[in-house]
Amino acid sequence: MILLPPDIQTIVGPQRSPARNEGIRERVTRVLAQRILGGEYFQSKIMPAEAELMSEFDISRTVLREAVRTLVAKGLLETRQRTGTIVLPRDRWHLLDPDVLSWMSAAEPDAKFILDLTEARRLVEPAAAELAARVCTARDVASIEDAYHAMRAAAVDDLEASIAADLDFHQGILHASGNLVFANLGDAIGAALLATFRMTTNVSENYSKSLDAHGLVLDAIRMRQPDKARERMSSLLDIASSDLRKTLKALG
């Protein structure tokens, strides 16, 4: 697992502090999850004993076991009779689960996951753009166009607003494709897309180039040009992929 150092967490994920009304179980669950995701608890190894964790957090066995059950449901842990609680291998983690994504953004960001997501987008989104150009409705186009204009309006002084609009743009295209799998995928990976946009938007050497690329995709969809829509979406993702890899290279 490739991890980015903590000093660039603001690039990758939102700044989250535990909610003031966060309960004891939620706090314990979050801390344990971040230790797993950050590599403090090694994959395929046994977790610290219940008594040790109960003492550290000053909690009851009931609270600890509730936290563990939550992490089992997220694919991070597995309980085994006579063995104990095991940290599962990374390929078992539910990385697109909203809670897991939230825990990841507060821990050291996982660059390997961001790279893998970018590769998956390069397969899905050009196809979605092509389909959108074939079957989209006027309402679909208006939604994508609204998101594009919001990106342009926010780009100068509001990074978070531009990132939110960027997410609306890409999810709008996935929905406009008319493909229910693509549409649901866009909703499911929304939080993961936000993490990607935070990285690539913040380090882009020429954000106006990225904005122009979004506009070209929009024009191709609006003009019902499927081949151009696919090609232009691929070009747009090339920009994001290039920015991402430059960042990782600079970090060594």
Side-chain angles (χ1 to χ4, degrees):
M1 180 169 64
I2 305 171
L3 293 174
L4 301 180
D7 58 354
I8 67 161
Q9 286 185 17
T10 54
I11 295 177
V12 182
Q15 291 300 295
R16 286 188 173 91
S17 57
R20 291 182 181 179
N21 61 348
E22 183 182 45
I24 295 174
R25 181 182 63 81
E26 289 78 12
R27 177 178 64 85
V28 172
T29 303
R30 171 178 55 79
V31 172
L32 292 178
Q34 289 170 0
R35 290 178 181 179
I36 295 168
L37 295 165
E40 184 175 343
Y41 294 154
F42 296 112
Q43 298 172 42
S44 302
K45 300 295 183 181
I46 300 174
M47 288 277 288
E50 278 192 345
E52 180 181 338
L53 293 173
M54 289 164 56
S55 175
E56 176 187 354
F57 291 106
D58 191 22
I59 55 174
S60 68
R61 178 174 280 103
T62 298
V63 170
L64 178 60
R65 289 185 174 178
E66 288 176 351
V68 168
R69 277 196 292 271
T70 297
L71 298 179
V72 168
K74 307 294 185 181
L76 302 182
L77 295 176
E78 182 176 85
T79 56
R80 300 175 184 173
Q81 289 187 344
R82 301 189 182 87
T83 301
T85 303
I86 308 294
V87 178
L88 288 176
R90 186 176 176 279
D91 60 9
R92 300 277 299 277
W93 300 349
H94 301 172
L95 292 174
L96 297 180
D97 181 281
D99 288 332
V100 176
L101 287 165
S102 174
W103 297 327
M104 286 175 65
S105 71
E108 290 187 69
D110 187 341
K112 175 64 165 60
F113 172 68
I114 299 294
L115 283 170
D116 287 350
L117 177 62
T118 300
E119 290 179 0
R121 292 179 63 202
R122 291 170 66 88
L123 295 174
V124 170
E125 292 196 55
E130 178 181 346
L131 283 173
R134 296 182 188 278
V135 303
C136 67
T137 65
R139 180 176 294 181
D140 291 330
V141 174
S143 177
I144 299 167
E145 187 170 13
D146 286 346
Y148 173 67
H149 288 311
M151 287 180 65
R152 296 202 71 93
V156 176
D157 56 8
D158 193 339
L159 179 64
E160 285 301 310
S162 68
I163 289 170
D166 200 351
L167 176 63
D168 288 342
F169 182 91
H170 288 271
Q171 287 185 317
I173 291 174
L174 290 168
H175 279 271
S177 72
N179 184 297
L180 293 178
V181 175
F182 286 173
N184 280 276
L185 180 64
D187 294 335
I189 68 174
L193 289 175
L194 282 175
T196 305
F197 296 158
R198 281 189 175 86
M199 175 175 282
T200 56
T201 299
N202 210 29
V203 302
S204 180
E205 294 179 352
N206 187 358
Y207 186 58
S208 63
K209 180 180 178 181
S210 175
L211 280 174
D212 290 343
H214 282 78
L216 290 174
V217 173
L218 170 61
D219 286 343
I221 292 174
R222 183 165 47 201
M223 299 300 292
R224 305 281 181 174
Q225 299 172 320
D227 291 342
K228 284 188 177 180
R230 173 185 279 273
E231 178 185 345
R232 290 174 178 179
M233 178 60 80
S234 293
S235 297
L236 171 57
L237 294 176
D238 284 343
I239 296 172
S241 179
S242 175
D243 285 337
L244 178 60
R245 293 182 184 280
K246 285 178 182 177
T247 301
L248 299 181
K249 183 177 180 180
L251 292 169

Short mmCIF file of all heavy atoms in Angstrom, two decimals, residues 19-77:
data_model
loop_
_atom_site.label_atom_id
_atom_site.label_comp_id
_atom_site.label_asym_id
_atom_site.label_seq_id
_atom_site.Cartn_x
_atom_site.Cartn_y
_atom_site.Cartn_z
N ALA A 19 -17.03 14.64 15.26
CA ALA A 19 -18.20 15.43 15.63
C ALA A 19 -18.25 15.59 17.14
O ALA A 19 -17.88 14.68 17.89
CB ALA A 19 -19.47 14.74 15.12
N ARG A 20 -18.73 16.74 17.56
CA ARG A 20 -18.78 17.00 19.00
C ARG A 20 -19.66 16.01 19.72
O ARG A 20 -19.45 15.72 20.89
CB ARG A 20 -19.28 18.43 19.23
CG ARG A 20 -18.29 19.51 18.78
CD ARG A 20 -18.83 20.90 19.08
NE ARG A 20 -17.90 21.92 18.63
CZ ARG A 20 -18.14 23.23 18.75
NH1 ARG A 20 -19.28 23.65 19.28
NH2 ARG A 20 -17.25 24.11 18.32
N ASN A 21 -20.70 15.55 19.05
CA ASN A 21 -21.62 14.62 19.68
C ASN A 21 -21.29 13.17 19.35
O ASN A 21 -22.13 12.29 19.49
CB ASN A 21 -23.06 14.94 19.28
CG ASN A 21 -23.29 14.81 17.78
OD1 ASN A 21 -22.33 14.69 17.02
ND2 ASN A 21 -24.54 14.82 17.36
N GLU A 22 -20.06 12.92 18.89
CA GLU A 22 -19.65 11.57 18.56
C GLU A 22 -19.69 10.71 19.82
O GLU A 22 -19.11 11.06 20.85
CB GLU A 22 -18.24 11.59 17.97
CG GLU A 22 -17.75 10.21 17.54
CD GLU A 22 -16.32 10.29 17.00
OE1 GLU A 22 -15.48 10.95 17.63
OE2 GLU A 22 -16.07 9.68 15.95
N GLY A 23 -20.38 9.57 19.73
CA GLY A 23 -20.48 8.70 20.88
C GLY A 23 -19.21 7.90 21.10
O GLY A 23 -18.31 7.86 20.26
N ILE A 24 -19.18 7.23 22.25
CA ILE A 24 -17.99 6.45 22.59
C ILE A 24 -17.75 5.35 21.58
O ILE A 24 -16.63 5.14 21.11
CB ILE A 24 -18.14 5.85 24.02
CG1 ILE A 24 -18.20 6.98 25.06
CG2 ILE A 24 -16.99 4.90 24.32
CD1 ILE A 24 -18.49 6.48 26.46
N ARG A 25 -18.83 4.62 21.22
CA ARG A 25 -18.65 3.53 20.26
C ARG A 25 -18.16 4.06 18.92
O ARG A 25 -17.28 3.46 18.30
CB ARG A 25 -19.97 2.78 20.07
CG ARG A 25 -19.85 1.61 19.09
CD ARG A 25 -21.18 0.91 18.89
NE ARG A 25 -22.17 1.79 18.28
CZ ARG A 25 -22.22 2.04 16.96
NH1 ARG A 25 -21.31 1.52 16.14
NH2 ARG A 25 -23.15 2.84 16.48
N GLU A 26 -18.72 5.18 18.47
CA GLU A 26 -18.29 5.75 17.18
C GLU A 26 -16.83 6.18 17.23
O GLU A 26 -16.09 5.99 16.27
CB GLU A 26 -19.18 6.95 16.82
CG GLU A 26 -20.60 6.59 16.41
CD GLU A 26 -21.49 6.28 17.61
OE1 GLU A 26 -21.07 6.56 18.76
OE2 GLU A 26 -22.61 5.77 17.41
N ARG A 27 -16.42 6.75 18.35
CA ARG A 27 -15.02 7.19 18.48
C ARG A 27 -14.07 5.99 18.44
O ARG A 27 -13.07 6.01 17.73
CB ARG A 27 -14.82 7.96 19.78
CG ARG A 27 -13.37 8.39 20.03
CD ARG A 27 -13.24 9.19 21.32
NE ARG A 27 -13.59 8.40 22.48
CZ ARG A 27 -12.71 7.60 23.12
NH1 ARG A 27 -11.47 7.48 22.67
NH2 ARG A 27 -13.09 6.93 24.19
N VAL A 28 -14.41 4.95 19.18
CA VAL A 28 -13.56 3.76 19.20
C VAL A 28 -13.51 3.12 17.81
O VAL A 28 -12.44 2.73 17.33
CB VAL A 28 -14.08 2.75 20.24
CG1 VAL A 28 -13.31 1.43 20.14
CG2 VAL A 28 -13.95 3.33 21.65
N THR A 29 -14.66 3.04 17.15
CA THR A 29 -14.72 2.48 15.80
C THR A 29 -13.83 3.27 14.85
O THR A 29 -13.05 2.70 14.08
CB THR A 29 -16.17 2.48 15.27
OG1 THR A 29 -17.00 1.76 16.17
CG2 THR A 29 -16.23 1.83 13.89
N ARG A 30 -13.93 4.58 14.91
CA ARG A 30 -13.14 5.45 14.02
C ARG A 30 -11.64 5.28 14.26
O ARG A 30 -10.86 5.13 13.32
CB ARG A 30 -13.55 6.91 14.21
CG ARG A 30 -12.66 7.92 13.49
CD ARG A 30 -13.17 9.33 13.69
NE ARG A 30 -13.32 9.69 15.08
CZ ARG A 30 -12.29 10.05 15.88
NH1 ARG A 30 -11.05 10.06 15.40
NH2 ARG A 30 -12.51 10.38 17.14
N VAL A 31 -11.24 5.29 15.52
CA VAL A 31 -9.81 5.19 15.83
C VAL A 31 -9.25 3.84 15.39
O VAL A 31 -8.18 3.76 14.78
CB VAL A 31 -9.56 5.42 17.33
CG1 VAL A 31 -8.10 5.12 17.68
CG2 VAL A 31 -9.90 6.85 17.72
N LEU A 32 -9.97 2.78 15.67
CA LEU A 32 -9.51 1.45 15.26
C LEU A 32 -9.43 1.37 13.74
O LEU A 32 -8.47 0.81 13.18
CB LEU A 32 -10.44 0.37 15.81
CG LEU A 32 -10.45 0.16 17.32
CD1 LEU A 32 -11.46 -0.90 17.70
CD2 LEU A 32 -9.06 -0.21 17.85
N ALA A 33 -10.44 1.90 13.05
CA ALA A 33 -10.44 1.88 11.59
C ALA A 33 -9.24 2.63 11.03
O ALA A 33 -8.57 2.16 10.11
CB ALA A 33 -11.74 2.48 11.06
N GLN A 34 -8.96 3.80 11.59
CA GLN A 34 -7.83 4.59 11.09
C GLN A 34 -6.51 3.89 11.34
O GLN A 34 -5.58 4.00 10.54
CB GLN A 34 -7.86 5.98 11.72
CG GLN A 34 -9.01 6.83 11.20
CD GLN A 34 -9.21 8.11 11.98
OE1 GLN A 34 -8.49 8.39 12.93
NE2 GLN A 34 -10.19 8.90 11.58
N ARG A 35 -6.40 3.16 12.43
CA ARG A 35 -5.17 2.41 12.69
C ARG A 35 -5.01 1.27 11.67
O ARG A 35 -3.89 0.99 11.23
CB ARG A 35 -5.20 1.85 14.11
CG ARG A 35 -5.06 2.91 15.19
CD ARG A 35 -5.14 2.31 16.59
NE ARG A 35 -5.04 3.35 17.62
CZ ARG A 35 -5.11 3.10 18.93
NH1 ARG A 35 -5.32 1.86 19.35
NH2 ARG A 35 -5.01 4.09 19.79
N ILE A 36 -6.12 0.65 11.33
CA ILE A 36 -6.06 -0.42 10.31
C ILE A 36 -5.71 0.17 8.96
O ILE A 36 -4.78 -0.29 8.28
CB ILE A 36 -7.40 -1.17 10.25
CG1 ILE A 36 -7.67 -1.91 11.56
CG2 ILE A 36 -7.42 -2.14 9.07
CD1 ILE A 36 -9.10 -2.42 11.69
N LEU A 37 -6.44 1.20 8.56
CA LEU A 37 -6.22 1.80 7.24
C LEU A 37 -4.85 2.43 7.12
O LEU A 37 -4.26 2.45 6.03
CB LEU A 37 -7.31 2.85 6.97
CG LEU A 37 -8.74 2.31 6.87
CD1 LEU A 37 -9.75 3.44 6.96
CD2 LEU A 37 -8.93 1.54 5.58
N GLY A 38 -4.33 2.95 8.22
CA GLY A 38 -3.02 3.58 8.20
C GLY A 38 -1.86 2.63 8.38
O GLY A 38 -0.71 3.04 8.32
N GLY A 39 -2.15 1.33 8.59
CA GLY A 39 -1.09 0.35 8.69
C GLY A 39 -0.52 0.13 10.08
O GLY A 39 0.45 -0.62 10.25
N GLU A 40 -1.10 0.77 11.09
CA GLU A 40 -0.61 0.57 12.45
C GLU A 40 -0.92 -0.85 12.92
O GLU A 40 -0.12 -1.47 13.64
CB GLU A 40 -1.24 1.59 13.39
CG GLU A 40 -0.72 1.51 14.82
CD GLU A 40 -1.26 2.61 15.71
OE1 GLU A 40 -1.77 3.62 15.17
OE2 GLU A 40 -1.17 2.46 16.95
N TYR A 41 -2.08 -1.35 12.53
CA TYR A 41 -2.42 -2.76 12.75
C TYR A 41 -2.20 -3.47 11.42
O TYR A 41 -2.84 -3.15 10.42
CB TYR A 41 -3.87 -2.91 13.19
CG TYR A 41 -4.19 -2.31 14.54
CD1 TYR A 41 -5.48 -1.88 14.84
CD2 TYR A 41 -3.21 -2.17 15.53
CE1 TYR A 41 -5.80 -1.33 16.09
CE2 TYR A 41 -3.51 -1.63 16.77
CZ TYR A 41 -4.80 -1.20 17.04
OH TYR A 41 -5.10 -0.66 18.27
N PHE A 42 -1.32 -4.44 11.40
CA PHE A 42 -0.91 -5.06 10.15
C PHE A 42 -1.97 -6.01 9.60
O PHE A 42 -2.66 -6.71 10.36
CB PHE A 42 0.41 -5.82 10.33
CG PHE A 42 1.56 -4.93 10.67
CD1 PHE A 42 2.15 -4.99 11.93
CD2 PHE A 42 2.06 -4.02 9.75
CE1 PHE A 42 3.21 -4.17 12.25
CE2 PHE A 42 3.12 -3.20 10.06
CZ PHE A 42 3.70 -3.26 11.33
N GLN A 43 -2.04 -6.05 8.28
CA GLN A 43 -2.97 -6.95 7.60
C GLN A 43 -2.62 -8.40 7.89
O GLN A 43 -1.46 -8.78 7.97
CB GLN A 43 -2.93 -6.70 6.09
CG GLN A 43 -3.36 -5.29 5.70
CD GLN A 43 -3.12 -5.02 4.23
OE1 GLN A 43 -3.39 -5.86 3.37
NE2 GLN A 43 -2.63 -3.82 3.90
N SER A 44 -3.69 -9.20 8.04
CA SER A 44 -3.59 -10.65 8.29
C SER A 44 -2.97 -10.96 9.65
O SER A 44 -2.56 -12.10 9.90
CB SER A 44 -2.78 -11.35 7.18
OG SER A 44 -3.38 -11.12 5.92
N LYS A 45 -2.90 -9.96 10.54
CA LYS A 45 -2.38 -10.17 11.88
C LYS A 45 -3.50 -10.03 12.90
O LYS A 45 -4.54 -9.43 12.64
CB LYS A 45 -1.27 -9.17 12.20
CG LYS A 45 -0.07 -9.26 11.26
CD LYS A 45 0.65 -10.61 11.41
CE LYS A 45 1.89 -10.66 10.53
NZ LYS A 45 2.59 -11.97 10.64
N ILE A 46 -3.27 -10.57 14.08
CA ILE A 46 -4.27 -10.52 15.14
C ILE A 46 -4.28 -9.13 15.78
O ILE A 46 -3.23 -8.54 16.03
CB ILE A 46 -3.96 -11.59 16.21
CG1 ILE A 46 -3.99 -13.00 15.58
CG2 ILE A 46 -4.97 -11.51 17.35
CD1 ILE A 46 -3.57 -14.09 16.53
N MET A 47 -5.46 -8.63 16.04
CA MET A 47 -5.63 -7.36 16.72
C MET A 47 -5.18 -7.49 18.18
O MET A 47 -5.14 -8.59 18.74
CB MET A 47 -7.11 -6.94 16.69
CG MET A 47 -7.60 -6.47 15.34
SD MET A 47 -7.18 -4.74 15.04
CE MET A 47 -8.33 -3.92 16.16
N PRO A 48 -4.86 -6.37 18.83
CA PRO A 48 -4.56 -6.42 20.26
C PRO A 48 -5.70 -7.08 21.04
O PRO A 48 -6.86 -7.03 20.62
CB PRO A 48 -4.40 -4.94 20.64
CG PRO A 48 -3.97 -4.29 19.37
CD PRO A 48 -4.70 -5.01 18.27
N ALA A 49 -5.39 -7.66 22.15
CA ALA A 49 -6.38 -8.37 22.95
C ALA A 49 -7.48 -7.42 23.45
O ALA A 49 -7.26 -6.22 23.62
CB ALA A 49 -5.71 -9.05 24.14
N GLU A 50 -8.66 -7.99 23.69
CA GLU A 50 -9.78 -7.19 24.17
C GLU A 50 -9.41 -6.42 25.43
O GLU A 50 -9.71 -5.23 25.56
CB GLU A 50 -10.98 -8.09 24.45
CG GLU A 50 -11.82 -8.46 23.24
CD GLU A 50 -13.14 -9.11 23.65
OE1 GLU A 50 -13.27 -9.53 24.82
OE2 GLU A 50 -14.04 -9.18 22.79
N ALA A 51 -8.77 -7.10 26.37
CA ALA A 51 -8.45 -6.46 27.65
C ALA A 51 -7.55 -5.24 27.43
O ALA A 51 -7.72 -4.20 28.09
CB ALA A 51 -7.77 -7.46 28.57
N GLU A 52 -6.61 -5.35 26.51
CA GLU A 52 -5.70 -4.24 26.21
C GLU A 52 -6.46 -3.06 25.63
O GLU A 52 -6.25 -1.90 26.04
CB GLU A 52 -4.63 -4.71 25.23
CG GLU A 52 -3.62 -3.64 24.86
CD GLU A 52 -2.59 -4.13 23.86
OE1 GLU A 52 -2.39 -5.36 23.78
OE2 GLU A 52 -1.98 -3.28 23.17
N LEU A 53 -7.35 -3.31 24.68
CA LEU A 53 -8.10 -2.22 24.06
C LEU A 53 -9.12 -1.62 25.03
O LEU A 53 -9.33 -0.40 25.05
CB LEU A 53 -8.81 -2.73 22.81
CG LEU A 53 -7.89 -3.12 21.65
CD1 LEU A 53 -8.68 -3.77 20.52
CD2 LEU A 53 -7.14 -1.91 21.12
N MET A 54 -9.74 -2.46 25.84
CA MET A 54 -10.68 -1.95 26.83
C MET A 54 -9.99 -1.02 27.82
O MET A 54 -10.53 0.03 28.19
CB MET A 54 -11.34 -3.12 27.57
CG MET A 54 -12.33 -3.92 26.73
SD MET A 54 -12.73 -5.54 27.47
CE MET A 54 -13.33 -5.05 29.09
N SER A 55 -8.79 -1.39 28.20
CA SER A 55 -8.02 -0.55 29.13
C SER A 55 -7.59 0.75 28.46
O SER A 55 -7.70 1.84 29.05
CB SER A 55 -6.80 -1.32 29.61
OG SER A 55 -5.98 -0.50 30.43
N GLU A 56 -7.12 0.66 27.22
CA GLU A 56 -6.65 1.86 26.52
C GLU A 56 -7.76 2.88 26.34
O GLU A 56 -7.56 4.08 26.58
CB GLU A 56 -6.09 1.47 25.14
CG GLU A 56 -5.66 2.68 24.32
CD GLU A 56 -5.26 2.34 22.90
OE1 GLU A 56 -5.19 1.14 22.57
OE2 GLU A 56 -5.03 3.28 22.12
N PHE A 57 -8.93 2.42 25.91
CA PHE A 57 -10.04 3.33 25.63
C PHE A 57 -10.94 3.57 26.85
O PHE A 57 -11.83 4.42 26.78
CB PHE A 57 -10.88 2.79 24.48
CG PHE A 57 -10.20 2.81 23.14
CD1 PHE A 57 -9.75 1.63 22.56
CD2 PHE A 57 -10.01 4.00 22.46
CE1 PHE A 57 -9.12 1.64 21.33
CE2 PHE A 57 -9.38 4.03 21.23
CZ PHE A 57 -8.92 2.85 20.65
N ASP A 58 -10.70 2.81 27.90
CA ASP A 58 -11.53 2.90 29.11
C ASP A 58 -13.00 2.66 28.76
O ASP A 58 -13.87 3.49 29.03
CB ASP A 58 -11.36 4.26 29.78
CG ASP A 58 -11.99 4.30 31.17
OD1 ASP A 58 -12.18 3.21 31.77
OD2 ASP A 58 -12.31 5.40 31.66
N ILE A 59 -13.24 1.51 28.13
CA ILE A 59 -14.59 1.17 27.68
C ILE A 59 -14.95 -0.23 28.13
O ILE A 59 -14.09 -1.02 28.56
CB ILE A 59 -14.70 1.23 26.14
CG1 ILE A 59 -13.63 0.33 25.50
CG2 ILE A 59 -14.59 2.67 25.65
CD1 ILE A 59 -13.75 0.21 24.00
N SER A 60 -16.23 -0.55 28.03
CA SER A 60 -16.70 -1.89 28.38
C SER A 60 -16.48 -2.86 27.22
O SER A 60 -16.25 -2.45 26.08
CB SER A 60 -18.20 -1.84 28.71
OG SER A 60 -18.95 -1.55 27.54
N ARG A 61 -16.57 -4.13 27.54
CA ARG A 61 -16.45 -5.15 26.50
C ARG A 61 -17.58 -5.00 25.47
O ARG A 61 -17.37 -5.22 24.27
CB ARG A 61 -16.47 -6.55 27.13
CG ARG A 61 -16.40 -7.69 26.12
CD ARG A 61 -16.27 -9.05 26.77
NE ARG A 61 -14.89 -9.31 27.19
CZ ARG A 61 -14.43 -9.22 28.43
NH1 ARG A 61 -15.27 -8.88 29.41
NH2 ARG A 61 -13.18 -9.47 28.73
N THR A 62 -18.75 -4.63 25.93
CA THR A 62 -19.89 -4.45 25.02
C THR A 62 -19.60 -3.38 23.97
O THR A 62 -19.85 -3.58 22.77
CB THR A 62 -21.16 -4.07 25.81
OG1 THR A 62 -21.49 -5.13 26.71
CG2 THR A 62 -22.33 -3.82 24.86
N VAL A 63 -19.08 -2.24 24.40
CA VAL A 63 -18.77 -1.15 23.46
C VAL A 63 -17.72 -1.60 22.47
O VAL A 63 -17.83 -1.34 21.25
CB VAL A 63 -18.30 0.10 24.22
CG1 VAL A 63 -17.73 1.14 23.25
CG2 VAL A 63 -19.44 0.70 25.03
N LEU A 64 -16.68 -2.26 22.95
CA LEU A 64 -15.61 -2.71 22.06
C LEU A 64 -16.15 -3.69 21.03
O LEU A 64 -15.82 -3.60 19.83
CB LEU A 64 -14.48 -3.35 22.87
CG LEU A 64 -13.32 -3.92 22.04
CD1 LEU A 64 -12.66 -2.84 21.20
CD2 LEU A 64 -12.30 -4.61 22.95
N ARG A 65 -16.96 -4.63 21.46
CA ARG A 65 -17.47 -5.63 20.53
C ARG A 65 -18.43 -5.02 19.51
O ARG A 65 -18.48 -5.48 18.36
CB ARG A 65 -18.13 -6.77 21.30
CG ARG A 65 -17.11 -7.62 22.05
CD ARG A 65 -17.70 -8.83 22.74
NE ARG A 65 -16.65 -9.66 23.31
CZ ARG A 65 -16.86 -10.77 24.00
NH1 ARG A 65 -18.10 -11.20 24.21
NH2 ARG A 65 -15.84 -11.47 24.48
N GLU A 66 -19.17 -3.99 19.89
CA GLU A 66 -20.01 -3.29 18.92
C GLU A 66 -19.15 -2.61 17.85
O GLU A 66 -19.48 -2.63 16.66
CB GLU A 66 -20.88 -2.26 19.64
CG GLU A 66 -22.02 -2.87 20.45
CD GLU A 66 -22.80 -1.82 21.22
OE1 GLU A 66 -22.34 -0.65 21.25
OE2 GLU A 66 -23.86 -2.15 21.78
N ALA A 67 -18.04 -2.01 18.30
CA ALA A 67 -17.13 -1.36 17.34
C ALA A 67 -16.53 -2.39 16.40
O ALA A 67 -16.44 -2.17 15.19
CB ALA A 67 -16.03 -0.62 18.09
N VAL A 68 -16.15 -3.53 16.94
CA VAL A 68 -15.56 -4.59 16.12
C VAL A 68 -16.58 -5.11 15.11
O VAL A 68 -16.25 -5.35 13.95
CB VAL A 68 -15.03 -5.73 17.01
CG1 VAL A 68 -14.69 -6.97 16.16
CG2 VAL A 68 -13.80 -5.28 17.78
N ARG A 69 -17.82 -5.27 15.55
CA ARG A 69 -18.87 -5.75 14.62
C ARG A 69 -19.02 -4.79 13.44
O ARG A 69 -19.22 -5.21 12.30
CB ARG A 69 -20.20 -5.92 15.36
CG ARG A 69 -20.34 -7.25 16.08
CD ARG A 69 -21.79 -7.53 16.44
NE ARG A 69 -22.28 -6.60 17.45
CZ ARG A 69 -22.19 -6.81 18.76
NH1 ARG A 69 -21.60 -7.90 19.21
NH2 ARG A 69 -22.67 -5.93 19.62
N THR A 70 -18.95 -3.50 13.72
CA THR A 70 -19.05 -2.51 12.63
C THR A 70 -17.90 -2.69 11.65
O THR A 70 -18.10 -2.66 10.43
CB THR A 70 -19.02 -1.08 13.21
OG1 THR A 70 -20.16 -0.89 14.05
CG2 THR A 70 -19.05 -0.05 12.08
N LEU A 71 -16.69 -2.89 12.16
CA LEU A 71 -15.53 -3.03 11.30
C LEU A 71 -15.54 -4.37 10.56
O LEU A 71 -15.01 -4.46 9.45
CB LEU A 71 -14.25 -2.86 12.11
CG LEU A 71 -14.09 -1.49 12.77
CD1 LEU A 71 -12.81 -1.43 13.59
CD2 LEU A 71 -14.12 -0.38 11.73
N VAL A 72 -16.14 -5.38 11.15
CA VAL A 72 -16.32 -6.65 10.44
C VAL A 72 -17.25 -6.43 9.24
O VAL A 72 -17.00 -6.91 8.13
CB VAL A 72 -16.90 -7.73 11.39
CG1 VAL A 72 -17.37 -8.94 10.59
CG2 VAL A 72 -15.85 -8.15 12.42
N ALA A 73 -18.32 -5.67 9.46
CA ALA A 73 -19.28 -5.40 8.37
C ALA A 73 -18.65 -4.59 7.25
O ALA A 73 -19.09 -4.67 6.10
CB ALA A 73 -20.49 -4.66 8.93
N LYS A 74 -17.62 -3.80 7.56
CA LYS A 74 -16.93 -2.99 6.56
C LYS A 74 -15.79 -3.75 5.88
O LYS A 74 -15.09 -3.18 5.03
CB LYS A 74 -16.37 -1.71 7.19
CG LYS A 74 -17.37 -0.89 7.97
CD LYS A 74 -18.46 -0.29 7.11
CE LYS A 74 -19.37 0.62 7.94
NZ LYS A 74 -20.46 1.19 7.13
N GLY A 75 -15.59 -5.00 6.25
CA GLY A 75 -14.55 -5.80 5.61
C GLY A 75 -13.15 -5.57 6.15
O GLY A 75 -12.18 -6.05 5.56
N LEU A 76 -13.03 -4.86 7.27
CA LEU A 76 -11.70 -4.58 7.81
C LEU A 76 -11.22 -5.65 8.77
O LEU A 76 -10.00 -5.90 8.89
CB LEU A 76 -11.69 -3.22 8.54
CG LEU A 76 -12.09 -1.99 7.72
CD1 LEU A 76 -11.98 -0.73 8.56
CD2 LEU A 76 -11.24 -1.86 6.47
N LEU A 77 -12.16 -6.29 9.45
CA LEU A 77 -11.81 -7.28 10.45
C LEU A 77 -12.61 -8.57 10.25
O LEU A 77 -13.65 -8.58 9.58
CB LEU A 77 -12.11 -6.75 11.87
CG LEU A 77 -11.31 -5.55 12.37
CD1 LEU A 77 -11.83 -5.13 13.74
CD2 LEU A 77 -9.83 -5.87 12.42
#
